[in-house]
Structure formats: C-alpha cells, structure tokens
Amino acid sequence: MRFVPHTIRHEPHSGATFEAFCTTSGCHGTSGPEPAQDTAQDWCLRHTGRTGHDLFRRVVTDHARVTRDE
Ligand SMILES: [Zn+2]
C-alpha cells in the first residue's frame, strides 16, 4: 500500500451546529442542535430563568474536508 498525503481543513460553507445541555442532576434539558450560537445561548438564559439551573455543557460541531495533496 502506497502512502498518499492528504490535508484536512475546516470547511466553513457546510455550517456549524451549537448545542447546550443542562448539567443539573436529573435535568435532561437541551437546546437541541441550533445553526446559530445565539439561539443556543438564548435557550440557556430562558432555562435558567425558568428553573434556576445555571451550568451548561456546550458542544460546537463544524465540518472538515480532506483533500488529496497534489
Ligand atoms: Zn436544567
């Protein structure tokens, strides 16, 4: 098998998702995957206002493309 060099790069045109999960024990609240960071953050603010839960785990996913080096 021949080694073929490739490069991996962030692919901005495919978008990203932002999601927040409440970390309070027994609460399974989540913003769900959102295309905008502001939407996920707004969900946290509303969740804290409604429940008093104030710590969230945040997850951001992006896309990466692998291309063969010439
Ligand atoms: Zn909660």
Side-chain angles (χ1 to χ4, degrees):
M1 217 162 85
R2 195 167 69 89
F3 174 73
V4 179
H6 287 76
T7 300
I8 185 166
R9 292 186 184 85
H10 170 65
E11 182 12 275
H13 303 297
S14 296
T17 59
F18 302 85
E19 190 164 6
F21 300 83
C22 180
T23 63
T24 298
S25 179
C27 180
H28 303 290
T30 171
S31 67
E34 297 288 348
Q37 187 171 29
D38 285 354
T39 311
Q41 292 189 159
D42 286 348
W43 177 85
C44 295
L45 295 169
R46 288 196 310 274
H47 189 73
T48 298
R50 208 167 50 239
T51 63
H53 303 165
D54 61 357
L55 186 64
F56 299 89
R57 180 171 60 87
R58 300 195 298 181
V59 176
V60 179
T61 61
D62 69 352
H63 290 78
R65 186 180 303 280
V66 172
T67 55
R68 184 172 172 162
D69 295 346
E70 296 302 328

